[in-house]
Amino acid sequence: MWRGTSGRTLAPVHPLVEQALALWDEGVAQRDDAVDRFRAVYADPVVVNGFPTSLKDLTARAAAMARAFADRRITVHEVVEGDGFHAFAFEIRARHVGRWVGLAATVPPSGGEVTLLGMDIFHLDDHGRVARLWAVSDQSDLLADPGQSSPR
């Protein structure tokens, strides 16, 4: 079971998904051994949304997220597993404390609470690591006026 920082028991999560979430949530990307820790979960390179991505670049993305969002709390809402894949829908609640460079815009820190919604599909290689992943992210809270949450 994945337990968010709220202590609430959430959707049952495969240990690999739990390990991946911990890499992104616990500031691992800012450590000297970040690439090695990510290598335990992800192939190098890992194909993200159709583009080969080195683990060095993936850890840089995770480090940027750690700088932009403090006090992150991850909730996994749904999990679907099959032969060689894991898919899960999640939300991240956090305080927006640093500049975030997103696909739609660069957003200066608001200091406010934001909710980011996402869905990832992990496809595994023969070693059980994530070889390909499809990730969809709703970052509309970041683009809303400060103090205004997008409707959910």
Side-chain angles (χ1 to χ4, degrees):
M1 298 294 237
W2 175 256
R3 296 184 189 276
T5 54
S6 66
R8 195 173 83 189
T9 300
L10 307 169
V13 176
H14 187 278
L16 180 74
V17 172
E18 188 169 332
Q19 192 176 1
L21 290 171
L23 288 173
W24 288 82
D25 191 42
E26 296 175 357
V28 170
Q30 297 170 308
R31 297 173 51 144
D32 290 338
D33 63 348
V35 172
D36 291 333
R37 287 174 172 261
F38 271 68
R39 188 172 285 116
V41 175
Y42 298 94
D44 193 5
V46 59
V47 179
V48 179
N49 292 344
F51 296 96
T53 305
S54 72
L55 290 187
K56 182 178 177 185
D57 287 344
L58 196 66
T59 58
R61 290 181 190 180
M65 183 171 229
R67 288 189 300 273
F69 305 105
D71 307 321
R72 288 186 308 267
R73 293 152 333 267
I74 298 175
T75 302
V76 176
H77 292 290
E78 297 286 338
V79 178
V80 178
E81 296 181 7
D83 188 25
F85 79 91
H86 304 287
F88 54 102
F90 61 94
E91 75 178 43
I92 301 170
R93 291 184 180 267
R95 219 167 18 89
H96 183 205
V97 297
R99 183 175 70 108
W100 176 247
V101 179
L103 295 175
T106 297
V107 184
S110 68
E113 182 88 7
V114 295
T115 301
L116 310 171
L117 302 174
M119 187 176 333
D120 286 0
I121 304 170
F122 289 176
H123 292 274
L124 309 183
D125 65 13
D126 293 338
H127 304 286
R129 293 176 303 175
V130 179
R132 291 181 296 121
L133 73 97
W134 291 95
V136 178
S137 176
D138 173 1
Q139 301 176 3
S140 56
D141 260 10
L142 290 173
L143 301 175
D145 289 333
Q148 301 292 320
S149 282
S150 60
R152 302 252 182 260

